[in-house]
Amino acid sequence: MDRASDYGSEGWGFNSLRARHHHMGHPAAIQDLKARLAGARAVAVLTGAGISADSGVPTFRGADGLWRTYRAEDLATPEAFARDPRLVWEWYNWRRELIATKSPNAAHYALVDLERRVERFWLITQNVDGLHPAGGAQKLSEIHGNIWKVRCTQCGHVGTNRAVPIPIPPHCPTCNGLLRPHIVWFGESLDPADLERSLAAVRSCEVLLIVGTSGIVYPAASFASLAKEAGACVAEVNLDPTPNTQSVDIAIQGRAKDIVPELL
Ligand code: BJW
Ligand code: ZN
């Protein structure tokens, strides 16, 4: 048996190319995605904590995601805040202090380049750290809110507050009510306008690029399949496999700050 028939020359090339697209930062996958992004007139991007991990911000479900002994699921709920607003604010003060020292990285900046290059572009971020806007992103929805914004539990007033640490408990400048972070906690609805804008982008894009999210928190977790159903090419950049990895068209394993700039 000669070498060609050994491997089955026909199927081998195709299958290996598809398989390679699921391998670690392989040049073929990067080139394929790069070409698709260059040719696309409508691009949507979904980011999660992984893109900010490269700026030194801990992820939620990583080993460094714990504060004291609490998980995000224990603190990021309206029930936790009602029970112990001081505890929840102490957690946010810890994170505000940490995030205040961090800056956008090459991946955040590369996405700003993409925003300027693509005719119809929308960035959907689950991150509340504000590093996308800090890097210059303009066409974006921060669907889980922003850690530098506060909202009054009495009158609903929303304001920016960059105090680090914020005096606990913080009070509303207009009605003196208790302030809470302007962040979407588990069991709370996303802002309807943000959600609409994001769904429209996901349903009408040619390419959906998903960067650094574990893909388990809804509704963002449904965006990959929505885009796929609408006929988009769906690509994922992540350090590790996720529930999306097997179903996306292009999966690239690697660090956001290394891979995303290479896509432009
Ligand atoms: C790298 C990297 C590097 C690392 N480079 N990559 C059952 C079914 C369906 C839905 C539900 C359900 N049970 C409950 C729900 C609803 C719930 C939900 O989805 N729960 C799931 C856990 C199951 N969702 C909600 O409640 C949402 N609201 C809603 O659905 O309203 C309607 C409704 C209400 C009630 C019931 C049902 C429906 C609201 C969700 C709000 C989430 N908010 C949080 C907390 C904010 C607190 C704060 O930040 O202060 O937002 S949760 C937390 O997770 C945070 C994040 O934005 C979000 C996503 O996490 P992310 O970004 O993916 O981070 P990680 O850490 O999970 O992953 C990091 C990834 O990066 C990893 O994959 C790494 O490999 C990778 N990585 N380094 C590239 N260098
Ligand atoms: Zn108020």
Side-chain angles (χ1 to χ4, degrees):
M1 222 187 240
D2 67 17
R3 200 169 275 270
S5 56
D6 218 9
Y7 288 107
S9 58
E10 250 172 287
W12 190 81
F14 178 72
N15 286 329
S16 76
L17 195 65
R18 282 187 62 87
R20 273 180 192 166
H21 283 192
H22 289 90
H23 278 182
M24 184 183 280
H26 194 283
I30 292 174
Q31 286 315 312
D32 183 0
L33 181 50
K34 189 174 177 174
R36 281 175 189 273
L37 286 170
R41 285 179 309 164
V43 172
V45 181
L46 170 66
T47 64
I51 193 168
S52 294
D54 284 337
S55 292
V57 181
T59 62
F60 287 92
R61 291 162 187 88
D64 54 358
L66 287 178
W67 172 72
R68 298 184 189 169
T69 54
Y70 303 94
R71 301 171 306 143
E73 287 83 351
D74 303 327
L75 297 168
T77 70
E79 292 77 21
F81 188 72
R83 199 184 311 128
D84 196 346
R86 284 181 170 271
L87 177 72
V88 173
W89 266 119
E90 280 172 27
W91 177 49
Y92 279 100
N93 262 340
W94 172 72
R95 292 177 56 210
R96 285 161 74 99
E97 196 173 330
L98 201 145
I99 290 167
T101 65
K102 309 301 180 215
S103 314
N105 64 60
H108 294 101
Y109 291 120
L111 292 177
V112 177
D113 281 350
L114 190 63
E115 167 182 327
R116 293 185 180 144
R117 223 177 273 191
V118 177
E119 215 171 289
R120 287 194 296 131
F121 177 94
W122 202 252
L123 170 61
I124 305 154
T125 186
Q126 300 170 85
N127 300 342
V128 302
D129 54 37
L131 291 183
H132 283 297
Q138 291 185 337
K139 297 178 178 174
L140 88 160
S141 298
E142 295 178 294
I143 60 170
H144 293 164
N146 185 298
I147 199 163
W148 304 115
K149 290 184 181 166
V150 291
R151 184 168 82 241
C152 179
T153 59
Q154 295 294 320
C155 73
H157 170 86
V158 175
T160 297
N161 184 318
R162 291 190 166 267
V164 176
I166 200 166
I168 295 178
H171 289 287
C172 176
T174 52
C175 82
N176 207 41
L178 176 64
L179 293 175
R180 58 163 280 177
H182 189 46
I183 284 182
V184 183
W185 288 328
F186 285 112
E188 296 186 320
S189 299
L190 277 62
D191 177 85
D194 279 345
L195 185 58
E196 266 320 299
R197 186 68 196 76
S198 302
L199 287 173
V202 164
R203 291 194 179 111
S204 65
C205 67
E206 291 160 30
V207 181
L208 172 65
L209 171 61
I210 303 174
V211 183
T213 174
S214 55
I216 61 171
V217 176
Y218 286 83
S222 64
F223 291 175
S225 53
L226 289 179
K228 196 98 200 79
E229 280 161 27
C233 166
V234 180
E236 174 185 74
V237 175
N238 200 300
L239 202 50
D240 291 312
T242 75
N244 286 322
T245 305
Q246 287 308 312
S247 53
V248 298
D249 299 291
I250 304 173
I252 300 169
Q253 208 172 340
R255 291 189 186 280
K257 76 164 176 0
D258 298 333
I259 306 294
V260 179
E262 272 203 72
L263 300 174
L264 298 158

